[in-house]
Amino acid sequence: MPRSFLALAACLSFALPGQAQTVFGGTVFTVQEMVGVGRLPANLRDEHGETFGSISGLWADMASWTRVGNTYSGSFLAAPDRGYNIAGTIDYAPRLNTLQMSFTPAPTGASGLAQNQIGLTLTSATRLYEALPTGGTRLFSGLDPVPGGVATGGARPAAGGLPELPQAFNGKLALDAEGVVVLADGSRLISDEYGPSIYRFAPDGRFIGALEVAPSVRPIRNGVTDYSSNNPTVGQPAPSPANPSAGRANNQGFEGLSISPDGRTLFVGLQSAARQDINPASAAATRDNTRIFTYDINSPDDIRLSGEYVVQLPKFVQGTATLVAAQSELLALSSTQLLMLPRDSNGREVGTQTSLLRAVEILDLSAATNVLGASFETQVAPGGVLNPAIVPAAKSLLLNLNDRSQLNRFGLTNGIQANFENLSEKWEGLVLLPALDPDRPDDYFLFVANDNDFATTDGFHAGAAYNDGKNLDTMFLAYRVTISPVPEPGTALLLALGGAVLLGVAGRRRRVQAGV
């Protein structure tokens, strides 16, 4: 038998018609179908009487994940971002929400389904705070840091083993939370857009530390580190210039956070390229060379930055413009492979309302250049063009969230269509949990959750009511996927031949049923 055929057979794994399959990095990924939808109402309030903040970051408690019959249950931590901020940022207290899920997957191939397979309950909201040296406590704040850095009170100087951290005009540490994970000792890490920073908290919400961050992504204005994101609250100054000259772009900080399954590596990703890696004349089209960082977390009390890699975000054409999708979440599959959730800025009542790119991609860092400490670390893409000495992460598409054939089965769609519900703009949560199926040990459920930006006509934050003019529910979507190693050549050949036989049988059955 020709070697080329054997090589091809080694990359085959049988998938049923309609299933999306990807062979990547020695692994076969098969997306079977969408199997569930769940909602929490837009006007839901937490135990503090404030509007629930939806999903900017999501972490699953694996120890709580159980199956009884065909129903699964588990507990999740969800990080909302900086509070309702359409007319400037507010003194919203960042928090971690605990959600309880009950999930019964939809029958295979079913249609005309309700959006009730995923039941969600908000059980607690733990506000984040710091203990003061003089006694008492002070909450964190979603307020935009003061422009100017340390000299103006917009940053707290590095001290006591802590790095420099963003600070609001009221003296509170500023946090725009976008990702959450739990370390082996039970402490929580939360990634932040302002710094960008990575904060560490005790389970009760008490601030206990922060990680060092590479200088390459610290925002610089007028020659100093300036953490303002150009979203001042009423009465506070805006930064000048509006954009940093280097470091993270405004509102484009650490958006994805995840830990490898072996518990040894922390991943955190910048939402889009650092300012020095963008061509200012065409920023929207050249912000694709973003960065992912790794930390060694073998010892929770000695966490060290270990890697810095370039990931090229997908581009798309909207009208006559070429745009770059924002990286909105990371989910580690191993010490080198991750899932990434890129998306555009379109959705229900936002932008064109029809999303042109909303997907889950697979990343592999194993052959990518570690630029940490390299001569080109400061600037990896002069003028928005990647330095040819740098090998970016390999990547492949796994899941198209805009697939209307799957959405329509649950009464959803992408875009405005009569009698269908359009997906909202921001999808920022990813969790992968085992199907606990002894007959299919490589099957998982991939949950994708949205960030509704606190959009409700009946909202309440920081002591005041608000009306956003629209109601966007918190939503979870569930997909059943298979993730398994590429079979050995002989096994792959048998699978391929068996698949051909099954397809032939199915074809004959269809012809008989059709009277052919």
Side-chain angles (χ1 to χ4, degrees):
M1 185 175 294
R3 288 186 179 183
S4 58
F5 186 81
L6 284 174
L8 176 62
C11 294
L12 290 175
S13 177
F14 178 61
L16 293 173
Q19 294 180 344
Q21 187 172 91
T22 303
V23 180
F24 182 77
T27 305
V28 182
F29 298 84
T30 305
V31 179
Q32 297 180 34
E33 65 177 0
M34 189 172 167
V35 291
V37 177
R39 291 177 179 266
L40 285 170
N43 66 349
L44 176 68
R45 297 191 184 185
D46 63 23
E47 64 197 71
H48 307 288
E50 295 189 296
T51 300
F52 174 68
S54 211
I55 314 297
S56 282
L58 189 64
W59 175 84
D61 179 2
M62 294 291 291
S64 72
W65 186 245
T66 58
R67 176 183 181 180
V68 177
N70 197 37
T71 296
Y72 300 78
S73 62
S75 180
F76 300 79
L77 282 180
D81 52 30
R82 61 188 173 185
Y84 185 69
N85 60 93
I86 298 301
T89 49
I90 61 174
D91 193 15
Y92 170 81
R95 62 204 68 190
L96 284 178
N97 296 310
T98 301
L99 297 173
Q100 189 69 28
M101 174 189 286
S102 177
F103 168 52
T104 303
T108 301
S111 60
L113 295 160
Q115 298 171 18
N116 60 1
Q117 295 78 24
I118 303 172
L120 299 165
T121 303
L122 173 62
T123 59
S124 68
T126 302
R127 296 196 292 192
L128 307 176
Y129 70 94
E130 60 176 328
L132 301 177
T134 56
T137 61
R138 178 165 51 202
L139 293 170
F140 275 60
S141 177
L143 286 166
D144 198 7
V146 177
V150 171
T152 61
R156 192 174 295 182
L162 295 175
E164 186 176 285
L165 294 171
Q167 185 169 265
F169 77 91
N170 56 9
K172 295 181 179 181
L173 288 173
L175 171 59
D176 182 1
E178 296 293 346
V180 58
V181 295
V182 176
L183 294 176
D185 66 353
S187 61
R188 285 83 160 109
L189 294 179
I190 296 179
S191 62
D192 154 67
E193 290 222 275
Y194 284 139
S197 304
I198 304 174
Y199 292 92
R200 188 177 176 190
F201 297 91
D204 69 349
R206 177 175 56 88
F207 174 53
I208 57 176
L211 306 189
E212 288 288 346
V213 172
S216 60
V217 294
R218 289 292 194 189
I220 304 297
R221 283 189 186 89
N222 305 312
V224 302
T225 308
D226 183 330
Y227 300 104
S228 171
S229 68
N230 196 27
N231 291 275
T233 192
V234 176
Q236 289 295 305
S240 180
N243 293 303
S245 58
R248 66 102 180 107
N250 290 335
N251 308 307
Q252 298 287 296
F254 281 161
E255 188 75 20
L257 188 71
S258 189
I259 293 176
S260 61
D262 64 9
R264 296 183 175 184
T265 306
L266 176 75
F267 298 88
V268 66
L270 208 61
Q271 188 163 30
S272 65
R275 289 287 299 176
Q276 68 269 26
D277 296 321
I278 295 172
N279 182 348
S282 55
T286 60
R287 63 181 194 135
D288 52 313
N289 291 293
T290 193
R291 305 183 190 215
I292 285 181
F293 298 86
T294 59
Y295 288 79
D296 181 336
I297 57 171
N298 279 291
S299 172
D301 293 319
D302 187 25
I303 298 175
R304 300 183 181 185
L305 182 62
S306 59
E308 183 175 1
Y309 303 88
V310 175
V311 173
Q312 295 189 300
L313 298 173
K315 294 185 176 184
F316 61 98
V317 176
Q318 182 167 310
T320 59
T322 297
L323 302 175
V324 176
Q327 182 275 118
S328 293
E329 183 64 298
L330 297 174
L331 178 63
L333 302 177
S334 71
S335 60
T336 58
Q337 282 194 345
L338 305 95
L339 298 183
M340 178 179 73
L341 201 170
R343 59 167 180 82
D344 61 12
S345 297
N346 301 310
R348 183 180 171 192
E349 300 193 51
V350 176
T352 66
Q353 301 209 54
T354 300
S355 172
L356 302 176
L357 197 154
R358 188 189 282 135
V360 177
E361 294 187 335
I362 315 162
L363 303 179
D364 194 315
L365 304 179
S366 58
T369 304
N370 185 349
V371 305
L372 185 66
S375 59
F376 38 63
E377 177 187 5
T378 299
Q379 187 177 46
V380 299
V385 179
L386 184 63
N387 183 329
I390 298 172
V391 178
K395 64 176 187 172
S396 182
L397 177 67
L398 173 66
L399 171 64
N400 175 17
L401 294 171
N402 291 336
D403 184 346
R404 287 195 179 100
S405 67
Q406 291 296 316
L407 295 173
N408 289 176
R409 296 171 50 232
F410 295 84
L412 296 169
T413 195
N414 170 39
I416 302 302
Q417 295 181 25
N419 301 319
F420 282 95
E421 297 185 63
N422 191 17
L423 293 187
S424 61
E425 170 201 3
K426 296 182 178 180
W427 291 81
E428 301 187 1
L430 276 181
V431 163
L432 187 70
L433 289 165
L436 304 177
D437 185 342
D439 295 327
R440 299 185 64 89
D442 294 331
D443 276 16
Y444 299 84
F445 295 112
L446 179 64
F447 294 95
V448 189
N450 73 334
D451 173 12
N452 70 350
D453 273 344
F454 305 92
T456 176
T457 57
D458 177 28
F460 189 87
H461 269 180
Y466 68 88
N467 182 345
D468 183 74
K470 61 181 178 294
N471 290 297
L472 297 180
D473 288 347
T474 297
M475 291 186 66
F476 278 61
L477 309 179
Y479 296 82
R480 186 156 181 154
V481 301
T482 305
I483 304 176
S484 54
V486 171
E488 292 298 320
T491 305
L493 180 58
L494 289 175
L495 284 172
L497 292 174
V501 170
L502 286 174
L503 286 173
V505 170
R508 287 195 296 275
R509 286 178 178 170
R510 284 194 295 269
R511 289 194 295 273
V512 169
Q513 290 168 354
V516 178

